[in-house]
Amino acid sequence: MSISIVIVGSGPSGFYVAEALIKSEADVSIDIIDRLPTPYGLIRGGVAPDHQSTKRVTRAYERTALNEKVRYYGNVELGKDVSLDELRATYDAVVLTIGMPGDSKLGVPGEDKDGVIGSAAFVGWYNGHPDFRNLDPNLESEKVVVIGNGNVAIDVARVLVKTPAEMTEADLPRHVSDAIQASPINDVYMVGRRGPVEAKFTNVELREMGNLKNALAIVDPADLPDEVTGDWSDRDRRLRERNLESLRGFTSASRDGKQKSVHFTFYAQPVEVLGDEKVTGIRLEKTEVIDGRAKGTGEFFDIACRLVIPAIGYALEPLQDVPFDESTGTIRNDDGRVDDGVYVAGWAKRGPTGVIGTNKPDGKAAAEQILEDIPSGVKSGRGEFETLLKSRDVRWIDFEAWQRIDAAEVANAPPGSPREKFVTTEDMLNLLADAK
Ligand SMILES: Cc1cc2nc3c(=O)[nH]c(=O)nc-3n(C[C@H](O)[C@H](O)[C@H](O)COP(=O)(O)OP(=O)(O)OC[C@H]3O[C@@H](n4cnc5c(N)ncnc54)[C@H](O)[C@@H]3O)c2cc1C
């Protein structure tokens, strides 16, 4: 009998596990489930809507999904429609590739006020993730503060200040682009606890901020050291030198009629979100970096705003029956092995770091471990799984149904844009029902 494997989560790491299993040419049957009807995880719901070339990686995932050994079951959630124990009873191996879907906490007073929206939610909203369809962020604010100095912070800032013309080829849902374009946002502050050398931007993303049509990137020259000091690998040092060079370039750029600004606010940490129920501003403390760590100087300043977007990291809520490592916030594992027949890969294993390709070796490692641990299949897998779903009236979306959703999104696209996304599961299910 084939080794039956279920992969929970259809983001990059899930697809890399499947791809490595197929490449091994072992006798395997692979089912991929996802809680959303749509596949591809953060490629659809995280990667910026104006960076379509990055999203093209899904073409390779599509080839994997169409392989004869693979079946896709969208709209099936671990922990709601099926439990880990049930999957373990049904499949020879279960691979958890569920990512880290939640936001890390800022850890300052006032962060529960209306108007503080973590980047997982905010990015999910502008990317049409069904969980955030009704987020309705308050964009009635001239100033927005984004906390964090990584690529996600840059994505958020950029999407808020780009012109409609710059977003033509993006796939922002219509209600999102309408809301952003109608907003009075003029100034986006990107606040980093540490300095430009410690910032985690990659250089392509940083440089793009110097080429925006209607927004000027503003940096205080006093924040820019003459050279990169500290203990960095050659690669990291070169990246930081390139970033410093880009930031220096920003300091001499002229406004040229640009109406909006993105302020790179280094050496500042949030201490309190201000306001009653709703955010009216944020209090920041200036910092200095000592031995690579930010230390408050006791000097404070406020930025008045109605929207604060922490982009400081991601979190995973513990799931029933799934061992959890409180110290790392990931699924507890020994180099990818979780328990007998249970494996983990991707962000849920390593934490929220690296680029899409970083998940590939993880996927390969999980596939190798499965084939090492389980020489032949004993559990029936797919048939029994479908029987279980039917007994619970779970309406799953197979890959062919996803392709129909995909085709409808492409057909509905405004001129220049690749697609107009469906942003609720209900709309997707209705489309499929209508087609029948
Ligand atoms: C905002 C943002 C922008 C990014 N931009 C880039 C970029 O431009 N370039 C780049 O290289 N990298 C980028 N990344 C990083 C990249 O997206 C990640 O490395 C990658 O997506 C991690 O893959 P994953 O499969 O571990 O998790 P995910 O992509 O998060 O996939 C997890 C999947 O599991 C599903 N799932 C979760 N819980 C359950 C459950 N209980 N039951 C069933 N299914 C479940 C989810 O719906 C999701 O489809 C970005 C990340 C973010 C957050």
Side-chain angles (χ1 to χ4, degrees):
M1 195 153 62
S2 305
I3 306 171
S4 59
I5 299 151
V6 64
I7 297 170
V8 185
S10 69
S13 56
F15 273 104
Y16 290 131
V17 176
E19 185 187 295
L21 286 165
I22 294 166
K23 277 201 182 136
S24 74
E25 294 187 6
D27 183 11
V28 291
S29 149
I30 307 162
D31 293 343
I32 303 178
I33 73 174
D34 202 287
R35 60 183 287 271
L36 296 182
T38 54
Y40 310 139
L42 286 170
I43 305 301
R44 180 177 165 103
V47 170
D50 57 334
H51 282 179
Q52 289 295 319
S53 57
T54 308
K55 294 188 190 251
R56 281 194 206 119
V57 68
T58 58
R59 290 181 189 165
Y61 305 159
E62 185 176 54
R63 281 195 294 280
T64 299
L66 292 171
N67 185 282
E68 60 186 7
K69 294 179 176 173
V70 178
R71 292 279 185 290
Y72 175 70
Y73 297 84
N75 203 30
V76 178
E77 181 167 344
L78 171 68
K80 178 173 150 248
D81 300 311
V82 63
S83 70
L84 180 63
D85 285 348
E86 286 163 342
L87 290 179
R88 293 181 77 177
T90 312
Y91 289 91
D92 296 306
V94 181
V95 192
L96 301 168
T97 52
I98 56 177
M100 291 193 110
D103 275 298
S104 288
K105 291 271 175 208
L106 263 184
V108 301
E111 73 171 305
D112 51 349
K113 291 189 197 307
D114 185 1
V116 180
I117 301 181
S119 62
F122 193 77
V123 168
W125 173 72
Y126 72 52
N127 267 318
H129 190 301
D131 285 1
F132 306 107
R133 169 63 184 90
N134 298 320
L135 188 73
D136 199 17
N138 182 5
L139 302 182
E140 284 303 312
S141 184
E142 287 190 7
K143 294 177 181 173
V144 173
V145 174
V146 181
I147 310 285
N149 263 186
N151 282 344
V152 176
I154 284 206
D155 281 352
V156 170
R158 192 183 66 244
V159 166
L160 286 175
V161 298
K162 268 193 168 180
T163 62
E166 285 174 298
M167 292 303 270
T168 310
E169 290 173 16
D171 62 357
L172 276 187
R174 198 164 294 138
H175 69 280
V176 173
S177 57
D178 288 350
I180 292 177
Q181 294 311 330
S183 78
I185 296 170
N186 267 333
D187 292 273
V188 178
Y189 293 80
M190 276 177 42
V191 176
R193 267 183 310 177
R194 297 184 293 167
V197 169
E198 291 82 15
K200 294 200 175 121
F201 316 125
T202 50
N203 192 249
V204 177
E205 274 70 18
L206 182 60
R207 275 203 318 265
E208 192 180 351
M209 300 305 276
N211 296 319
L212 300 175
K213 293 266 182 303
N214 192 29
L216 186 67
I218 296 183
V219 186
D220 181 348
D223 285 345
L224 303 179
D226 293 334
E227 56 179 4
V228 175
T229 53
D231 201 10
W232 305 101
S233 67
D234 287 350
R235 187 174 163 275
D236 281 348
R237 181 181 303 279
R238 273 197 303 277
L239 165 68
R240 282 159 174 86
E241 282 167 353
R242 278 201 297 272
N243 280 355
L244 270 187
E245 202 181 306
S246 305
L247 290 163
R248 269 187 218 112
F250 296 170
T251 61
S252 55
S254 60
R255 186 157 282 282
D256 278 342
K258 292 180 183 177
Q259 285 163 344
K260 303 186 184 217
S261 306
V262 176
H263 305 259
F264 286 79
T265 311
F266 295 112
Y267 302 110
Q269 62 188 9
V271 287
E272 186 181 353
V273 179
L274 307 171
D276 293 328
E277 267 173 39
K278 293 189 176 183
V279 173
T280 56
I282 184 158
R283 179 152 302 152
L284 300 155
E285 180 181 17
K286 290 194 172 171
T287 64
E288 54 188 343
V289 174
I290 297 171
D291 293 334
R293 300 180 80 89
K295 198 169 167 297
T297 60
E299 197 183 330
F300 299 89
F301 63 104
D302 296 349
I303 300 176
C305 64
R306 296 203 178 93
L307 181 59
V308 172
I309 306 174
I312 53 164
Y314 291 85
L316 177 66
E317 285 288 316
L319 277 168
Q320 199 189 351
D321 308 327
V322 179
F324 190 72
D325 185 337
E326 295 284 348
S327 65
T328 57
T330 57
I331 293 175
R332 196 168 61 231
N333 70 91
D334 178 9
D335 194 24
R337 287 184 172 91
V338 177
D339 201 346
D340 276 354
V342 184
Y343 306 83
V344 62
W347 275 18
K349 169 187 174 186
R350 300 189 321 273
T353 57
V355 291
I356 297 163
T358 317
N359 301 293
K360 199 165 183 172
D362 260 21
K364 190 162 174 276
E368 283 168 1
Q369 288 169 348
I370 293 169
L371 299 176
E372 197 180 301
D373 296 350
I374 309 172
S376 61
V378 292
K379 296 183 189 164
S380 56
R382 189 169 298 159
E384 201 179 319
F385 178 59
E386 290 194 2
T387 306
L388 179 75
L389 294 183
K390 281 181 191 152
S391 75
R392 290 184 180 161
D393 269 341
V394 176
R395 183 159 167 214
W396 74 84
I397 304 279
D398 61 19
F399 204 72
E400 193 264 334
W402 149 246
Q403 286 178 308
R404 274 188 281 148
I405 295 170
D406 185 30
E409 290 189 341
V410 173
N412 291 340
S417 163
R419 65 181 63 242
E420 177 66 38
K421 284 178 176 172
F422 289 100
V423 295
T424 68
T425 299
E426 197 188 352
D427 285 347
M428 295 185 228
L429 295 177
N430 287 342
L431 169 89
L432 299 172
D434 290 349
K436 268 188 191 155

